[in-house]
Amino acid sequence: MIQLIPNTPNNIAAFRATGEVTKENYQNVVLPEIERLLKQINHINFLLVLDTELENFTTGAWVQDALLGLKNLAKWNRAAVVTDSDTIISFTNGFSYIVPGEFKGFKKSEYDEAITWVSEEAL
């Protein structure tokens, strides 16, 4: 499931993924929050804390994730993924080279740093 993370800066969309992540999670939680953010600041600052394995994302969830990225390709400002997987951190860091916006992976112990980084404006 994906849940909003409370008590985060208003200029970011912050989520925690646990257990199985489904297409419906994206449709009911992620997309409305992204729409709110786009109406408010016209770009996306995105934080995802992974408290589940990538294998727990259903095919429908991956499709929704890809559609979110493609639909809003020019709107990405900063995106942070918080996980203890070095592979996911490296993959996330590589996105900055191929798509607009800045993408950065953080260890779970760096959660506060991730919040600060993603809520700042990219240079």
Side-chain angles (χ1 to χ4, degrees), residues 41-113:
I41 62 174
N42 200 36
H43 61 263
I44 301 170
N45 294 324
F46 184 91
L47 176 91
L48 176 62
V49 176
L50 282 176
D51 281 337
T52 191
E53 300 298 320
L54 290 182
E55 294 81 21
N56 290 330
F57 281 67
T58 67
T59 302
W62 283 115
V63 169
Q64 289 298 307
D65 186 58
L67 290 173
L68 171 67
L70 291 173
K71 177 183 174 190
N72 298 293
L73 191 61
K75 299 288 185 178
W76 289 92
N77 182 53
R78 284 193 166 173
V81 175
V82 180
T83 178
D84 281 335
S85 166
D86 291 330
T87 302
I88 294 170
I89 289 171
S90 293
F91 183 78
T92 301
N93 292 344
F95 260 87
S96 290
Y97 297 106
I98 59 174
V99 295
E102 293 182 35
F103 294 78
K104 189 171 181 180
F106 293 86
K107 293 284 191 178
K108 289 182 180 179
S109 63
E110 301 170 319
Y111 174 80
D112 291 339
E113 181 182 336

Side-chain angles (χ1 to χ4, degrees), residues 2-13:
I2 294 181
Q3 299 173 305
L4 288 171
I5 298 175
N7 305 316
T8 58
N10 199 34
N11 71 333
I12 69 172

